[in-house]
Amino acid sequence: MFLTFAGVGSAFTDQRYYQSNMVITSKSGKRLLIDCGGDARFSLAELNITHRMIDAVYISHLHADHIGGLEWFGFCTYFTPNCKRPTMYIVNTLVRDLWRSLRGGMQSHEGIVLNLNSFFEVQATSINDTFEWEGISFAPVQTVHIMNGMKIVPSYGLLITENGKTTFLTTDTQFCPRQIEKFYEKSSVIFHDCETAPYRSNVHAHYNDLATLPDETKKKMWLYHYQPDPVQNPVEDGFRGLVKKGQTFEL
């Protein structure tokens, strides 16, 4: 399979980087979109990928840089003749609130009451379960991204396994190595979200914290979801590097 980064930037980035959404392409040529933020229609267009060419989408959590493009995607497939309804893979705890986020613009079409299944074939999975797509195994991993008072807001990275090789994609997480250390260890490659600004939002792992990880972990780790014009040099600090917009990895 191939993993292509349609964007590599933070939620508030510009067109030089785009928001961090990705495309997995299977050996058969089918495509799974990892998150669909507000930049997706532009970042995918730069890759010459249209809505017709996306077979499925995975939603990690409900911030706009991860779901802000779903109205565009859903309406494009809904109103395009003979366009198959894409599959949506999502952890079941997110489904209700996802539709709450989308329904203001998507629930009605000239007298027809619509729901999430009108646009997507929703395949909801439970945490600690896996789903399979094109012979590839995906295991959602809950991460600590943001707190709502005393409650962790659900956000799910992915362990992706094909032919015995595992890739860890964090989507969004704070720096919490003790909680996800075992996922670092079992993965051959890690793609980790990373703040690079001098100030900290405390909702993403910051570069300075990731730089304290063991060398064995850093040498497996690519960094993405960074702020524009990062000044850091990850290779010198033991990482594989910063992912570039449009970069493709064979996994």
Side-chain angles (χ1 to χ4, degrees):
M1 64 176 170
F2 297 89
L3 174 65
T4 301
F5 281 75
V8 293
S10 67
F12 315 115
T13 191
D14 56 35
Q15 70 273 15
R16 293 174 298 159
Y17 299 92
Y18 288 130
Q19 296 163 345
S20 293
N21 303 161
M22 298 135 243
V23 179
I24 291 178
T25 305
S26 69
K27 293 177 181 177
S28 67
K30 291 190 175 181
R31 293 180 177 88
L32 169 65
L33 179 62
I34 306 294
D35 288 323
C36 186
D39 291 351
R41 62 188 177 127
F42 304 111
S43 60
L44 291 172
E46 286 196 9
L47 296 174
N48 295 314
I49 296 175
T50 70
H51 64 279
R52 281 185 174 273
M53 299 163 68
I54 300 170
D55 303 281
V57 59
Y58 170 77
I59 298 300
S60 66
H61 67 288
L62 305 184
H63 281 152
D65 56 321
H66 296 262
I67 66 166
L70 284 176
E71 180 173 317
W72 158 77
F73 184 35
F75 276 140
C76 281
T77 55
Y78 184 84
F79 287 110
T80 300
N82 303 316
C83 188
K84 184 180 178 182
R85 191 171 43 137
T87 302
M88 174 182 284
Y89 296 102
I90 186 171
V91 176
N92 53 12
T93 57
L94 295 174
V95 174
R96 183 180 65 176
D97 285 342
L98 174 62
W99 183 240
R100 284 179 175 175
S101 296
L102 298 175
R103 68 184 183 184
M106 298 184 74
Q107 69 179 347
S108 301
H109 169 48
E110 193 54 37
I112 303 173
V113 178
L114 304 172
N115 57 45
L116 193 60
N117 280 286
S118 303
F119 302 97
F120 304 99
E121 182 183 334
V122 179
Q123 299 289 327
T125 186
S126 300
I127 194 64
N128 292 325
D129 284 343
T130 62
F131 64 89
E132 188 170 300
W133 176 80
E134 289 291 288
I136 306 166
S137 174
F138 296 82
V141 175
Q142 184 163 19
T143 60
V144 181
H145 178 30
I146 193 168
M147 299 289 293
N148 181 12
M150 304 293 182
K151 180 182 178 182
I152 297 176
V153 176
S155 183
Y156 301 95
L158 283 173
L159 282 176
I160 307 168
T161 304
E162 184 182 38
N163 297 327
K165 183 177 180 180
T166 298
T167 299
F168 184 28
L169 179 65
T170 60
T171 65
D172 285 3
T173 184
Q174 296 179 23
F175 182 69
C176 49
R178 295 176 68 181
Q179 284 76 16
I180 56 179
E181 180 180 19
K182 63 182 178 180
F183 306 122
Y184 289 160
E185 292 175 351
K186 73 187 300 181
S187 301
S188 301
V189 183
I190 302 163
F191 296 96
H192 209 297
D193 59 312
C194 174
E195 286 189 340
T196 54
Y199 53 88
R200 298 169 182 253
S201 71
N202 296 318
V203 300
H204 291 281
H206 193 275
Y207 182 92
N208 293 347
D209 293 324
L210 291 171
T212 69
L213 290 171
D215 290 341
E216 286 297 309
T217 300
K218 289 191 293 184
K219 72 181 185 181
K220 298 190 288 185
M221 189 175 288
W222 288 92
L223 306 177
Y224 72 99
H225 205 291
Y226 45 85
Q227 280 75 22
D229 303 318
V231 298
Q232 293 84 353
N233 191 327
V235 175
E236 287 186 359
D237 291 326
F239 299 100
R240 288 201 176 185
L242 292 174
V243 182
K244 305 301 181 186
K245 183 180 73 170
Q247 188 169 355
T248 295
F249 299 83
E250 184 173 4
L251 304 176

